Amino acid sequence: EDPTKDDLHFKPYTILDRKIRDGAGNENTIRIGFIGFVPPQIMVWDAKNLDGRAQTRDIVEAARAWIPVMKEEGADIVVALSHSG
């Protein structure tokens, strides 16, 4: 099953445009994608708040699905933050 087809509460990533100067002093715009991951075990750790309200997926499975989407949307760099214990 494709993680990008899940019924999500919010978009799992964001892409920000930022201007940077290169070594020659020229200003360029880069697109930085940010995405965060939590392990499926969070459903055990925080069951009283999440049970029946959220579902999780394997971190690697989710990353393999969403990072290509971010690149297709123009992310030059992807920053992945992961709470993996």
Side-chain angles (χ1 to χ4, degrees):
E1 193 173 315
D2 182 355
T4 64
K5 305 292 187 221
D6 290 347
D7 183 21
L8 303 174
H9 294 283
F10 52 88
K11 191 173 179 180
Y13 63 89
T14 190
I15 300 174
L16 305 176
D17 293 336
R18 293 295 183 255
K19 294 190 183 299
I20 61 168
R21 290 201 184 276
D22 63 22
N26 299 313
E27 189 174 82
N28 297 286
T29 299
I30 61 168
R31 303 197 76 211
I32 306 169
F34 294 92
I35 188 166
F37 300 101
V38 296
Q41 295 87 339
I42 196 168
M43 297 302 291
V44 174
W45 304 332
D46 201 13
K48 70 177 185 174
N49 293 308
L50 299 175
D51 193 34
R53 297 181 187 167
Q55 295 178 333
T56 60
R57 288 191 173 266
D58 176 76
I59 291 172
V60 174
E61 175 188 15
R64 285 185 176 146
W66 285 108
I67 290 175
V69 172
M70 296 169 70
K71 289 181 177 181
E72 286 175 17
E73 288 188 24
D76 298 307
I77 298 170
V78 173
V79 177
L81 304 171
S82 178
H83 171 44
S84 60

